[in-house]
Amino acid sequence: MKNELIKIKSILPLQKAPLVHCITNDITLETVANTILYLGGKPIMSSDTREFSSLFQSTDALLLNMGRLNESHEQSLSQASSLADMTKKPTVVDLVGYGITNERTKLGMAMARNHPTVIKGNTSEIRRFVGLPSLAKGIDGASSDQHDQALKDLILSLKQITTEYADTVFVATGKKDVIVQNDKHLILSNGVDELDKFVGTGDMVGAIITTLLAVGEDPWVASQFAISYLNVAAEKALSLTNGMENFRREVLNQIDLLGRNQQWATKIKYSNF
Amino acid sequence: MKNELIKIKSILPLQKAPLVHCITNDITLETVANTILYLGGKPIMSSDTREFSSLFQSTDALLLNMGRLNESHEQSLSQASSLADMTKKPTVVDLVGYGITNERTKLGMAMARNHPTVIKGNTSEIRRFVGLPSLAKGIDGASSDQHDQALKDLILSLKQITTEYADTVFVATGKKDVIVQNDKHLILSNGVDELDKFVGTGDMVGAIITTLLAVGEDPWVASQFAISYLNVAAEKALSLTNGMENFRREVLNQIDLLGRNQQWATKIKYSNF
Amino acid sequence: MKNELIKIKSILPLQKAPLVHCITNDITLETVANTILYLGGKPIMSSDTREFSSLFQSTDALLLNMGRLNESHEQSLSQASSLADMTKKPTVVDLVGYGITNERTKLGMAMARNHPTVIKGNTSEIRRFVGLPSLAKGIDGASSDQHDQALKDLILSLKQITTEYADTVFVATGKKDVIVQNDKHLILSNGVDELDKFVGTGDMVGAIITTLLAVGEDPWVASQFAISYLNVAAEKALSLTNGMENFRREVLNQIDLLGRNQQWATKIKYSNF
């Protein structure tokens, strides 16, 4: 863990500005693009399947976020996912709304099978992905899916399916955040409740992981970094502001500011049961 | 009125977090979603017709906003409107741009006939809806449509058509805001001119009404609350900031903060001719 | 130049609120709409080809921005461009991503041939447009395309092609900004590096130029104004804030505030080689 902390501290500033291709929901397009820019990456927000083969020649990583699904978005995600598998493009799949409709379940499963580097979702989405029951309604995570026993079950289930998903890193976000890869797991417990009260925090975590994959970071380290960086940024933002919109703005602001001082990483809280 | 004020004061904090399904324009998707979240609701921004029948099983209310119309958005609005009528889902129709093109007029009329709980628009849109002349250009309201005599005509016309729209609450926003249901009406006069100088304030009013319908509030009370809450939030925001973008941000911030103290409701200004 | 400065100083406040029709990318829809509103214009963000002929009867100018291209966006841009040519609507074409894919090159060229009032892009996009090599990757400008010799080549090439584009004003943005019309050119050197670190600054320049065309300003003056106004706003915003999201917000805020005092224009820096 100590070595990983040293790695995490040294990630920012990025040594180059990678091209991060995002196929993502149109609710938070601007916020996701700015998150990547504030970290030092260059976002390309193209969902036009006609452009994929030429874009893939210069992009460094790919984000596939299935929020606000529709037929056109589904086609873009599906084709890019196949192309990423063929070209071994580092890829993050964000299973937004997995299991709440047949379309999302089918698409999410198809993208998961295309060997993405990281598969993420909130705890309820990942529970549904591994076949555990979930009490969540809508696209948000249910708190009942986040108790310690529920997380233990989730980690166990993820470790069982990693035989089918060798090396893929699974990220389940919630009050506590879980990362699983093959037979290892990690629980992180930073963050504030207010992160669930504006739209796009999950999208931002996906964008941060993708930006780090785009500069060649290890996905296990990149996932730890992304979750912790957003959570610590939120802790700081909450202490500086009053009111949700000011908090939201300051979280984005801290995406830029926090990493200027490596000491942010000393705030990371690892958790055990 | 006193009883209504007591009801209005007791609305926040919401007793549960309702699922609010929004089919709305893609200019202010993020702002509308955050407005609902800041009030304590959970937005679902799906416009995918394939998902409607399963989503309708868990959503508590529906917003149909015809801003930035296109064929795909039109289909989503049209199908959801029919489904809402069949399933008696509490529904707000926002007639953005009604009367400025044939497509919007036809669609707006069709949605209005599907027994929505609330029909809203700016004064110029609602004037065109009831067949009165309007001098507005573009999607904004014209000031000439907002003089007292013009408002009197509008109220009279709305009361005449309520025979066809029994129980539907009509909301016309402008310098003064008008609410009509069957044979009763109400005029509210809070707010600041700056609310017309950023995009999405009308969308936010629609989102607030829908969130309140989603927790079972009466549509007459919900409409009063939504108009007054945004207007008083704007009055406060204007007093705290300098410059339109700071004002805009603070209006959103006050959506969260204002209701923490019930005294906000004492600022509501009812108006007579 | 002195006469132009006097004109530039007198542009704000706008004498009327023009209708500005924007067919633009859906990443920065809200930001572009607010930019126009803060300047005193009224944006109409319709991309629905069915609405164009009726909208064109009341709109004062047209923005065609080919960011986040897809087939539907391409059709909207293409049809509006033809209609603008036929009806002599003042039009700004923003060549976002020109040359990075075949679709964008073909569409950009087609729109350029329809006699737009202004053609803009970043330095790398405009280099590709005139047939010069560019080292940029993605949709951003490469710094190697912005050295003095590179700018000299660009100006020379633009002056050569103006025989085919009589009277069209070309705007190439970068560290230094270049404006060319027929045989005259101008180099401006305000601005801060941080403008490249959030999404939409190019879109905002296009929106500002279009708003000024919509009130009848000369395109040469409008282009100078737009570039300088955003750049000086950014210089001010940077001095007032810490962190990229606060900077971004304050740039938007200054779009409203800066022009309240004509002295902003004394900060404009003209440059020579």
Side-chain angles (χ1 to χ4, degrees):
Chain A
M1 215 97 97
K2 211 173 167 188
N3 282 341
E4 282 172 8
L5 249 185
I6 292 170
K7 271 200 229 169
I8 285 173
K9 282 188 183 177
S10 67
I11 284 175
L12 294 182
L14 299 185
Q15 296 305 301
K16 63 160 196 166
L19 276 186
V20 184
H21 183 188
C22 302
I23 301 175
T24 186
N25 71 75
D26 52 4
I27 305 170
T28 57
L29 276 174
E30 190 170 19
T31 294
V32 164
N34 281 331
T35 298
I36 292 167
L37 281 160
Y38 296 173
L39 278 177
K42 286 176 181 292
I44 297 193
M45 314 303 283
S46 173
S47 289
D48 189 343
T49 54
R50 301 172 303 171
E51 297 189 330
F52 287 174
S53 64
S54 59
L55 287 180
F56 265 64
Q57 291 172 30
S58 55
T59 57
D60 297 300
L62 174 67
L63 173 64
L64 299 171
N65 172 311
M66 66 184 203
R68 203 159 189 257
L69 198 63
N70 57 41
E71 286 184 67
S72 158
H73 187 32
E74 183 176 328
Q75 273 182 18
S76 299
L77 290 167
S78 177
Q79 290 194 27
S81 173
S82 298
L83 197 54
D85 191 18
M86 284 194 295
T87 59
K88 304 202 180 307
K89 181 80 66 187
T91 299
V92 175
V93 167
D94 194 339
L95 296 173
V96 183
Y98 186 91
I100 65 168
T101 62
N102 288 337
E103 286 74 22
R104 299 207 194 199
T105 302
K106 213 172 135 191
L107 173 64
M109 189 55 75
M111 292 194 295
R113 288 203 178 115
N114 280 332
H115 312 97
T117 320
V118 175
I119 294 175
K120 75 167 282 290
N122 62 39
T123 311
S124 299
E125 287 155 358
I126 300 294
R127 282 181 71 85
R128 288 187 293 248
F129 181 77
V130 297
L132 290 170
S134 164
L135 292 172
K137 58 179 192 170
I139 62 162
D140 289 315
S143 57
S144 56
D145 294 342
Q146 299 176 27
H147 297 150
D148 279 358
Q149 186 55 50
L151 286 188
K152 276 187 198 172
D153 293 346
L154 181 59
I155 291 168
L156 194 67
S157 296
L158 282 170
K159 287 187 178 176
Q160 282 165 352
I161 68 163
T162 51
T163 51
E164 298 167 53
Y165 296 94
D167 297 335
T168 292
V169 173
F170 287 89
V171 174
T173 59
K175 246 184 214 298
K176 291 184 181 177
D177 306 291
V178 168
I179 309 177
V180 173
Q181 184 182 35
N182 298 321
D183 60 349
K184 64 181 171 176
H185 77 269
L186 194 68
I187 302 170
L188 294 158
S189 59
N190 289 91
V192 296
D193 290 347
E194 283 75 5
L195 277 175
D196 287 336
K197 286 192 61 182
F198 71 87
V199 72
T201 47
D203 303 339
M204 289 166 73
V205 170
I208 299 172
I209 299 175
T210 314
T211 304
L212 266 51
L213 296 186
V215 291
E217 289 296 338
D218 175 80
W220 175 260
V221 172
S223 299
Q224 276 182 67
F225 176 95
I227 287 173
S228 302
Y229 195 70
L230 186 71
N231 279 340
V232 175
E235 291 169 3
K236 180 132 194 200
L238 193 66
S239 74
L240 294 173
T241 57
N242 185 29
M244 276 304 303
E245 180 67 10
N246 280 341
F247 168 69
R248 186 181 83 88
R249 176 188 48 70
E250 189 60 31
V251 170
L252 277 161
N253 206 44
Q254 289 296 330
I255 297 293
D256 173 32
L257 291 179
L258 191 68
R260 295 188 190 178
N261 184 337
Q262 294 192 349
Q263 291 312 306
W264 78 268
T266 61
K267 305 246 171 88
I268 300 177
K269 289 185 207 149
Y270 295 93
S271 175
N272 289 298
F273 289 125
Chain B
M1 215 98 98
K2 212 174 166 186
N3 282 341
E4 282 172 8
L5 249 185
I6 292 170
K7 271 200 229 171
I8 286 173
K9 281 188 183 178
S10 68
I11 285 175
L12 294 182
L14 299 184
Q15 296 306 302
K16 63 160 196 166
L19 275 187
V20 184
H21 183 189
C22 302
I23 301 174
T24 187
N25 71 74
D26 52 4
I27 304 169
T28 57
L29 277 174
E30 189 171 19
T31 294
V32 164
N34 281 331
T35 298
I36 292 167
L37 281 160
Y38 296 173
L39 279 177
K42 285 177 181 290
I44 298 194
M45 314 304 282
S46 172
S47 289
D48 188 343
T49 54
R50 300 172 303 171
E51 297 189 329
F52 287 174
S53 65
S54 58
L55 287 180
F56 265 64
Q57 290 172 31
S58 56
T59 56
D60 297 299
L62 174 67
L63 172 63
L64 299 171
N65 172 310
M66 66 184 203
R68 201 155 190 260
L69 198 63
N70 57 41
E71 287 184 66
S72 158
H73 187 31
E74 183 176 329
Q75 273 183 17
S76 299
L77 290 167
S78 177
Q79 290 194 28
S81 173
S82 298
L83 196 54
D85 191 18
M86 285 194 295
T87 59
K88 303 203 181 306
K89 181 80 65 187
T91 299
V92 175
V93 167
D94 195 338
L95 296 173
V96 184
Y98 186 91
I100 65 168
T101 63
N102 288 337
E103 286 74 22
R104 299 207 195 199
T105 303
K106 214 172 135 190
L107 173 64
M109 189 55 76
M111 292 194 295
R113 288 202 178 115
N114 280 333
H115 311 98
T117 320
V118 175
I119 294 175
K120 76 167 282 290
N122 62 39
T123 312
S124 299
E125 287 155 358
I126 299 294
R127 281 181 72 84
R128 289 187 293 248
F129 180 78
V130 297
L132 291 169
S134 165
L135 292 171
K137 57 178 193 171
I139 62 161
D140 289 316
S143 57
S144 57
D145 294 342
Q146 299 177 27
H147 297 151
D148 279 358
Q149 186 56 50
L151 286 188
K152 276 186 197 173
D153 294 346
L154 181 59
I155 291 168
L156 194 68
S157 296
L158 281 170
K159 287 186 178 176
Q160 282 165 352
I161 68 163
T162 51
T163 52
E164 298 168 52
Y165 296 94
D167 298 335
T168 292
V169 173
F170 287 90
V171 174
T173 59
K175 245 186 215 298
K176 291 183 180 177
D177 305 292
V178 168
I179 309 178
V180 173
Q181 184 183 35
N182 298 322
D183 61 349
K184 64 181 172 176
H185 77 269
L186 194 68
I187 302 170
L188 294 157
S189 59
N190 289 92
V192 296
D193 290 347
E194 283 75 4
L195 277 175
D196 287 336
K197 287 193 61 182
F198 71 86
V199 73
T201 48
D203 303 339
M204 289 166 72
V205 170
I208 298 172
I209 299 175
T210 314
T211 304
L212 267 51
L213 297 187
V215 290
E217 288 296 337
D218 175 79
W220 175 261
V221 172
S223 299
Q224 277 182 66
F225 176 95
I227 287 173
S228 302
Y229 195 70
L230 186 70
N231 279 341
V232 175
E235 291 170 3
K236 179 130 194 202
L238 193 66
S239 74
L240 294 173
T241 56
N242 185 30
M244 277 304 304
E245 180 67 10
N246 279 340
F247 168 70
R248 186 181 82 87
R249 177 188 47 70
E250 189 59 32
V251 170
L252 277 161
N253 206 43
Q254 290 296 330
I255 296 293
D256 173 33
L257 291 179
L258 192 68
R260 295 188 189 177
N261 184 338
Q262 294 192 348
Q263 292 311 306
W264 77 267
T266 60
K267 305 245 170 88
I268 300 178
K269 289 185 207 149
Y270 295 94
S271 175
N272 289 299
F273 289 124
Chain C
M1 215 97 98
K2 211 174 167 188
N3 282 341
E4 282 171 8
L5 249 186
I6 292 170
K7 272 200 230 170
I8 285 173
K9 281 187 182 178
S10 68
I11 284 174
L12 294 182
L14 299 185
Q15 296 306 301
K16 63 160 196 167
L19 276 187
V20 184
H21 183 188
C22 302
I23 302 174
T24 187
N25 71 74
D26 52 3
I27 304 170
T28 58
L29 277 174
E30 190 171 20
T31 294
V32 164
N34 281 331
T35 298
I36 292 167
L37 282 160
Y38 296 173
L39 278 177
K42 285 177 182 291
I44 298 194
M45 313 304 282
S46 172
S47 289
D48 188 344
T49 54
R50 301 172 304 171
E51 298 189 329
F52 287 173
S53 64
S54 58
L55 287 180
F56 265 63
Q57 290 172 30
S58 56
T59 56
D60 296 299
L62 174 66
L63 173 64
L64 299 171
N65 172 310
M66 66 184 202
R68 203 157 189 259
L69 198 63
N70 58 41
E71 287 184 65
S72 159
H73 187 31
E74 183 176 329
Q75 273 183 18
S76 299
L77 290 167
S78 178
Q79 290 194 28
S81 174
S82 298
L83 197 53
D85 191 18
M86 285 194 295
T87 59
K88 303 203 180 307
K89 182 79 67 187
T91 299
V92 175
V93 167
D94 195 338
L95 297 173
V96 183
Y98 186 91
I100 64 167
T101 62
N102 288 337
E103 286 74 22
R104 300 208 194 199
T105 302
K106 213 172 135 191
L107 173 64
M109 189 55 75
M111 293 194 295
R113 288 201 178 117
N114 280 332
H115 312 97
T117 320
V118 175
I119 294 175
K120 75 166 282 291
N122 62 39
T123 311
S124 299
E125 287 155 358
I126 300 295
R127 281 181 71 84
R128 289 188 291 248
F129 181 77
V130 298
L132 290 170
S134 165
L135 292 172
K137 57 178 192 170
I139 62 161
D140 289 315
S143 57
S144 56
D145 294 342
Q146 299 177 26
H147 297 151
D148 279 359
Q149 186 55 50
L151 286 188
K152 276 186 197 173
D153 294 346
L154 181 60
I155 291 168
L156 194 68
S157 296
L158 281 170
K159 287 186 178 178
Q160 283 165 352
I161 68 163
T162 51
T163 52
E164 297 167 53
Y165 296 94
D167 298 336
T168 292
V169 173
F170 287 90
V171 174
T173 59
K175 246 186 215 297
K176 291 183 180 178
D177 306 292
V178 168
I179 309 178
V180 173
Q181 184 182 35
N182 298 321
D183 61 349
K184 64 181 172 176
H185 77 269
L186 194 68
I187 302 169
L188 294 157
S189 59
N190 289 92
V192 296
D193 290 347
E194 283 75 4
L195 277 175
D196 287 336
K197 286 192 61 182
F198 71 87
V199 72
T201 48
D203 303 339
M204 289 167 74
V205 170
I208 298 172
I209 300 175
T210 314
T211 304
L212 267 51
L213 297 186
V215 291
E217 288 297 337
D218 175 80
W220 175 261
V221 172
S223 299
Q224 276 182 65
F225 176 95
I227 287 173
S228 301
Y229 195 70
L230 186 70
N231 279 340
V232 175
E235 291 170 3
K236 180 131 193 201
L238 193 65
S239 74
L240 294 173
T241 57
N242 186 29
M244 276 305 303
E245 180 67 10
N246 279 341
F247 168 70
R248 186 181 84 88
R249 177 188 47 69
E250 189 60 30
V251 170
L252 277 161
N253 206 43
Q254 289 296 330
I255 296 293
D256 173 32
L257 291 178
L258 191 69
R260 296 188 189 177
N261 184 337
Q262 294 192 348
Q263 292 312 306
W264 77 267
T266 60
K267 304 246 171 88
I268 300 178
K269 289 185 206 150
Y270 295 94
S271 175
N272 289 298
F273 288 125

